[in-house]
Amino acid sequence: MLGAAGLAAAETAVRTPAFFEPVAEPAGMILDYGSLLVATCLGIFIVVMGLLIFTIIRFRASSADDGLEPPQVYGSDQLELAWTIVPVLLVVVLGLVTAGRIVAIQRDTAPEGSLSVRVVGHQWWWELEYPGYGFTTANELHLPVDRTAFLELESQDVIHSFWLPQLSGKTDLIPNRRNVLWIEPKETGMVVGQCAEYCGTQHAHMLLRVFVHEPDEFERWAQEQQRQARTAPGVEEGRALFARTACVNCHTVRGVSEIGRFGPDLTHLMSRTTLAAGAATNDRANLVDWITDPNHIKPGARMPAMKLSEREIGLVAGYLASLD
Ligand code: CUA
């Protein structure tokens, strides 16, 4: 399952070139298509190079100059027809296959019964909104297996690129434009992705995780996300401090303050495994580090150090660590 052990296992698995192990469409279709093109070109290469090498060896100049010369062929109808028709057929067949794949992969409208997700790129994190469920989360996308997810991609600031090698190809997130992408996961588990377009200092720390669940497990996760933030016993002081500092200008915690849109929604912060778009493990010690000085974990991060006292940081981190 998706516990800490699964995560560690997945993190080791990530080191293989992920696009060779698709676990969703259209990644599988893209790999098939790429393999067909490579195999065809490899076949042509082997034939042409084979003939070339054979000719070089068979008809090389010898010191004795035995006058061995290949037969001089002019205007052979068979040869000329062959090297015209074969390439034309190759181009037509590959062209038709390409057109078919483009039609299958590019979809402008959401298919019937699909899950809709709005993805907004920010410097340097991912906003993930589930309009059908009415909540927003960040940096960790949850999807049900065997159901198409239809993603709308937008950007808040500069051009980013949404790339999940095991699930789909790359699609850019462009300011003032809406791009779309669909994914149909075929296996449960966790896969990783990455912003694939240089978007500033922390482009490399704009990571994305996707958790693919069984449908009922996904519904349970979504219902948990729909809840308002709870206030656990003993964190009231941290909650009050959070609510009266500038934290709430950027962060929404549903049930506390919903004006902040600039930073990630923190309503269920502890349901996420990582902090700062994959830059650190999401635990209390890293939360303290992050609030004390975001630049320590992520130099250039848009979040300022709030200049709170050590005690206040402890209180705020304690409150955030209670938001499950
Ligand atoms: Cu966002 Cu690179």
Side-chain angles (χ1 to χ4, degrees):
M1 277 274 302
L2 304 169
L7 203 62
E11 244 149 2
T12 2
V14 163
R15 297 186 205 293
T16 57
F19 47 83
F20 286 124
E21 294 170 2
V23 293
E25 299 299 358
M29 292 159 70
I30 293 170
L31 181 64
D32 289 351
Y33 173 65
S35 306
L36 175 72
L37 285 193
V38 170
T40 309
C41 294
L42 197 64
I44 296 171
F45 180 81
I46 289 171
V47 169
V48 171
M49 284 300 141
L51 287 172
L52 180 65
I53 291 167
F54 169 78
T55 311
I56 289 171
I57 294 172
R58 178 72 182 77
F59 300 106
R60 70 187 184 283
S62 62
S63 52
D65 193 8
D66 54 12
L68 188 62
E69 220 178 58
Q72 300 300 302
V73 182
Y74 299 100
S76 160
D77 288 348
Q78 284 103 317
L79 269 180
E80 294 202 354
L81 280 174
W83 70 50
T84 308
I85 291 172
V86 172
V88 166
L89 277 179
L90 278 172
V91 168
V92 168
V93 169
L94 289 182
L96 287 175
V97 173
T98 305
R101 281 293 144 106
I102 290 174
V103 168
I105 290 171
Q106 286 187 346
R107 266 185 211 164
D108 289 339
T109 49
E112 195 80 13
S114 62
L115 169 74
S116 143
V117 185
R118 187 168 154 263
V119 180
V120 184
H122 295 256
Q123 285 173 316
W124 292 275
W125 61 282
W126 306 92
E127 179 183 342
L128 307 167
E129 185 191 347
Y130 290 71
Y133 292 86
F135 66 83
T136 300
T137 178
N139 304 322
E140 296 188 3
L141 182 64
H142 290 250
L143 299 176
V145 72
D146 293 327
R147 177 176 168 197
T148 304
F150 192 75
L151 278 55
E152 294 185 32
L153 308 175
E154 294 162 29
S155 172
Q156 181 67 39
D157 34 47
V158 299
I159 298 176
H160 304 274
S161 180
F162 186 85
W163 188 36
L164 292 160
Q166 287 177 275
L167 303 186
S168 68
K170 292 174 189 171
T171 306
D172 281 0
L173 300 92
I174 299 169
N176 300 317
R177 192 190 148 88
R178 173 184 165 274
N179 280 345
V180 295
L181 173 75
W182 64 273
I183 298 172
E184 192 178 332
K186 296 293 181 194
E187 287 176 29
T188 57
M190 195 276 284
V191 297
V192 293
Q194 158 83 55
C195 177
E197 177 82 36
Y198 182 72
C199 53
T201 319
Q202 284 297 336
H203 157 68
H205 278 147
M206 190 162 166
L207 307 174
L208 178 70
R209 278 163 197 259
V210 182
F211 295 86
V212 179
H213 303 276
E214 294 295 345
D216 53 342
E217 197 180 271
F218 171 79
E219 288 301 330
R220 271 201 300 279
W221 172 82
Q223 277 165 22
E224 282 292 297
Q225 296 291 315
Q226 283 175 313
R227 282 190 297 119
Q228 301 256 304
R230 74 190 182 101
T231 304
V235 298
E236 292 84 356
E237 201 184 345
R239 180 185 192 265
L241 185 59
F242 175 84
R244 70 165 183 271
T245 58
C247 306
V248 292
N249 292 343
C250 292
H251 296 287
T252 284
V253 173
R254 265 181 294 122
V256 178
S257 167
E258 301 185 17
I259 52 164
R261 307 284 301 173
F262 192 71
D265 186 305
L266 303 178
T267 310
H268 300 291
L269 175 64
M270 298 319 282
S271 70
R272 308 203 280 262
T273 60
T274 63
L275 200 60
T281 310
N282 188 14
D283 58 29
R284 195 186 155 134
N286 282 334
L287 274 172
V288 168
D289 192 3
W290 176 251
I291 299 165
T292 308
D293 183 12
N295 277 315
H296 185 223
I297 291 178
K298 203 165 174 176
R302 292 286 192 244
M303 175 163 142
M306 299 304 295
K307 309 278 187 250
L308 300 173
S309 72
E310 208 168 303
R311 183 178 169 274
E312 289 171 324
I313 289 170
L315 285 171
V316 172
Y319 171 58
L320 294 178
S322 77
L323 294 172
D324 55 2

